[in-house]
Amino acid sequence: MAGLFGRLRSVMSARTVASQVFVLQVTVALLLVAAAVAALLLQARSDGEREARNRSVAVAQTYATAPGIREALRDPDPSAALQRKAEAARKTSGVDFVVVMATDGTRYTHPDPDEIGKKYIGTIAPAVAGGTVTETVTGTLGPSIRSVAPVLDANGEVIGLVAAGITVERAGGAAQDQLPVLLGAAAFALVVATSGAALISRRLRHQTHGLGPTEMTRMYEHHDAVLHAVREGVLIVDEDRRLVLVNDEARRLLALPPDAQGRPVCDIAMDPEIARLLESGRPASDEVHAIGHQLVAVNQRAMGPPPDGSGPCGTVATLRDTTELRALSGRADIAQGRLRLVYDAGMRIGTTLDVVRTSQELADFAVPRFADYVTVDLPDLVLSGDEPAETSTDMRRIAFTGVRHDTPLYPSGRLIHFVSTTPQAVAYARGKTVLEADLAAFSGWQEQEPARARRLVGYGIHSMIAAPLRARGVTMGVATFWRSQRPEPFDDDDVSLAEELVARAAVNIDNARRYTREHSMAVALQRSLLPRVLPEQTALDVAYHYLPAQAGLGGVGGDWFDVIPLPGARVALVVGDVVGHGLHAAATMGRLRTAVHNFSTLDLPPDELLWHMDELVSRIDQDEDTDGSVTTLTGATCLYAIYDPTSRVCTVARAGHLEPVIVHPDGEVEFPGVPAGPPLGLGGLPFESSELHLSEGSSLVLYTDGLVEDRHRDIDEGLDLLRRTLARAGGSPEETCSAVLDALLPERPRDDVALVVARTRVLDGNRAVTWDVPADPSEVARVRAEAARTLEEWGLAEEAFTTELILSELVTNAIRHAGEPITVRLIRDRSLICEVSDGSSTAPHLRRATTTDEGGRGLFLVSQFAERWGTRYTGSGKVIWTEQPLAW
């Protein structure tokens, strides 16, 4: 029993309220069902006893009055007459026994014949007296009910007794038959009760979130504590507009009386607007109401639909004191606005690396967001990229923006000498912002120009901030903010904002200043390295154009071009491009241009010259690699072409550069397909030359990629546009150059642009003659005679002696020391050129012969009579050439 109660206590101590309710409901249902079943069983037992009593009495009395019973008792052998009838009556009536006995209790009948003749066990005295007696006896068959009735004769005397008995179990057999049905109904009732308890428990578990009694109690305690401690008023109004809940904060905000809770809203003394809102029950979101000196934000929401589906429903209202919050939010809005202004300034100021443009962006941005007028004054040295003098107060107004243009302020472009007492001069000298909150006080700022100062105040300008443009320890100028239309003057917070704006602008102006200086230096360096005038020559009519990249976009690059006269009236055309921009690219370009000039003096073929240039660039990279600085590979491209006006052959080789364009005399434009070698500096890769035969009047167009390539146009489109432009250009090289630039040059080039247009000329037979010379010493005299006759025809008879001497020495050396074929060529150009070619690759050397030497004086004489002389190698040998000056 103790264990049962222990298990019950364990079950009842379940953690959650829902579990305890479930167990309790199931227990109650079980007890109720058990009690009902027990009551039914007790009722059935009582009914069985009553049925047994009634049946036994009825059987005893009925048999005692049955016909023939009195006659049988007077018979000498009553047992023989009554035994069979008594058993028949017992079976018919369903009792356990029917016994007929004498008045002394001797049995005449009995279900067990052995009991006949024995005394009846039980009470018979009342029956002998003429009454009926009933008693309960517990025998071997269990509890039984026995009744004894008298047998009366005609005179009413008792002549015998009849006893009938039946067990209670036999009488209650019907109730026992109904017991399974009763238990089934009880079980069904228990299942239904358990299911209902489970559903209720589940719903309760959902509503209580699985909390236990202690937790529920603690939660409601906390809820009540929070409800009254929170700094937000809470009111709950039911559908009858009665205030059912109010916390302490709501009482304080609305000044409610202590008995307000439970009363109708209309009967409570409170703010009328709040009362109407609570009475109406309408939704409200952050409605601000003035209650005394407080600003209260009210929110109201319905708790759900009304119980009957119509009319008002309960509402929940919250009240929040926003008096301090409004003040804080106002200051926060101001601070946020200023932060947004500073952020926008960083996005809008300094979009280019131009000092004037950046200064104007500062002025445009601050008007009218911060000031009504803004001026920016800088020394002239800053505009040129230099650092200004610390003591200088002469500044030029380079930016001005205002809400109106008819102000007495100095206009843009004016050079202003600021007096030392003015805010601008003080801010520039000290590097600190100066605030003049009340210009009408004339605290010294008017000494700059008193009359103009009075006009400014009369115009309505009432306050000013002068902030120095200072970055990286250098003060570059002053930005002045003026206010006129806004009535409030500048204050300390405005000074902080002005300093933020000016600090951002100052960094950008300093960057632009530094870039301007670097760009100017790079442009100066680049222009000093490029050809200023083209050399005099008669082989080509050349026009060119060079444009460095815009400052702030690409900057100065490393593009270059050259026109180099070569021996034999030939001309070399060069165009190249160093990758990158800035001083390094310009300096590298100068080194490469100088190298091309040096290699051209060796009169090398184009492919061989590019091979030497490739070696040079590789060595430059190696030198920069070993000096401890950051490794920067020198990427460069180059095109080198040699045009011979006597043969009209142009030999071209290119190293990663765009190929040239040929414009034929008939206007046809051709890309000749010159093999593209690798860019300079890769090393180890060969270059290949192409020979182009050009008609007289053909144009050779050389250019860099800055002309045809742009971020809005790919290189194929640029080349196609170049082809179309050249096809319709016509005219002189200058006109062709202008037409190409007008069609292809971007508005603001991001890369250097170099363009060279060279129209070919031809030295015909009137200006060049050639003789083949056999390897016979006697031919020297013939060559001298032919040369003298030719010079006389050209009107150069005065040069005949010198020319004969030079040719005699050169031809003699070729016959003696070289091999065939030997060729002599005279060219009348800006100088008289003599060329002797032979089949040997061995070049003669100039030396001073001693007095005892028989030879070795020929080249010495040649060098004395010729202005220049030299040797160049060909695929089949060499050419020794001389140049003699001619009078023009």
Side-chain angles (χ1 to χ4, degrees), residues 238-260:
D238 63 10
E239 61 273 10
D240 296 328
R241 318 321 300 161
R242 187 182 300 275
L243 188 62
V244 297
L245 186 143
V246 57
N247 69 344
D248 295 341
E249 182 67 9
R251 292 180 186 274
R252 184 187 69 82
L253 293 175
L254 299 179
L256 296 177
D259 60 344

Side-chain angles (χ1 to χ4, degrees), residues 429-719:
R430 298 181 181 177
K432 294 183 178 181
T433 304
V434 178
L435 169 64
E436 286 287 345
D438 185 9
L439 295 180
F442 295 107
S443 58
W445 68 274
Q446 76 281 359
E447 295 181 9
Q448 172 71 27
E449 193 172 339
R452 185 182 294 271
R454 287 192 295 271
R455 291 201 307 272
L456 280 174
V457 175
Y459 184 79
I461 298 178
H462 56 79
S463 61
M464 170 187 64
I465 294 176
L469 289 161
R470 185 175 179 82
R472 302 180 180 94
V474 178
T475 302
M476 295 167 292
V478 178
T480 308
F481 302 89
W482 313 80
R483 184 168 285 180
S484 64
Q485 293 189 350
R486 300 184 186 183
E488 65 275 8
F490 287 118
D491 55 18
D492 292 338
D493 291 338
D494 293 322
V495 170
S496 299
L497 180 57
E499 290 176 343
E500 285 285 346
L501 295 177
V502 170
R504 291 176 178 268
V507 172
N508 293 317
I509 291 175
D510 188 53
N511 291 338
R513 178 189 67 82
R514 290 169 178 263
Y515 183 81
T516 299
R517 181 180 61 186
E518 181 181 345
H519 184 265
S520 301
M521 294 173 58
V523 169
L525 174 62
Q526 187 183 47
R527 292 197 180 279
S528 68
L529 296 175
L530 289 172
R532 299 188 179 184
V533 293
L534 295 180
E536 295 180 352
Q537 46 84 31
T538 57
L540 295 170
D541 183 9
V542 180
Y544 70 92
H545 180 87
Y546 181 84
L547 180 67
Q550 287 287 332
L553 296 179
V556 173
D559 293 11
W560 89 92
F561 68 93
D562 255 319
V563 179
I564 305 173
L566 297 177
R570 296 168 305 136
V571 176
L573 295 176
V574 187
V575 64
D577 184 4
V578 176
V579 177
H581 297 85
L583 290 174
H584 182 270
T588 303
M589 176 271 290
R591 299 171 70 179
L592 296 184
R593 179 172 178 259
T594 302
V596 171
H597 270 273
N598 292 336
F599 289 138
S600 67
T601 60
L602 301 177
D603 214 347
L604 299 173
D607 55 344
E608 188 173 346
L609 183 141
L610 291 181
W611 183 85
H612 285 289
M613 290 292 294
D614 183 65
E615 289 290 316
L616 173 63
V617 172
S618 298
R619 286 197 298 273
I620 290 175
D621 289 339
Q622 291 175 3
D623 292 342
E624 293 184 353
D625 233 355
T626 57
D627 66 355
S629 60
V630 178
T631 301
T632 303
L633 295 180
T634 305
T637 63
C638 183
L639 184 147
Y640 189 81
I642 299 177
Y643 175 68
D644 189 344
T646 60
S647 63
R648 295 178 295 138
V649 173
C650 182
T651 306
V652 185
R654 61 189 179 115
H657 202 82
L658 296 171
E659 67 173 324
V661 183
I662 298 175
V663 183
H664 296 283
D666 58 0
E668 180 185 357
V669 180
E670 175 189 3
F671 287 92
V674 177
L680 299 177
L682 295 183
L685 298 176
F687 299 93
E688 184 178 353
S689 296
S690 292
E691 291 188 352
L692 309 177
H693 295 270
L694 304 179
S695 302
E696 184 177 7
S698 298
S699 294
L700 189 65
V701 181
L702 310 180
Y703 51 93
T704 57
D705 58 358
L707 178 68
V708 295
E709 189 175 17
D710 187 60
R711 62 177 180 174
H712 301 299
R713 178 184 64 204
D714 62 30
I715 193 168
D716 292 333
E717 294 177 354
L719 291 174

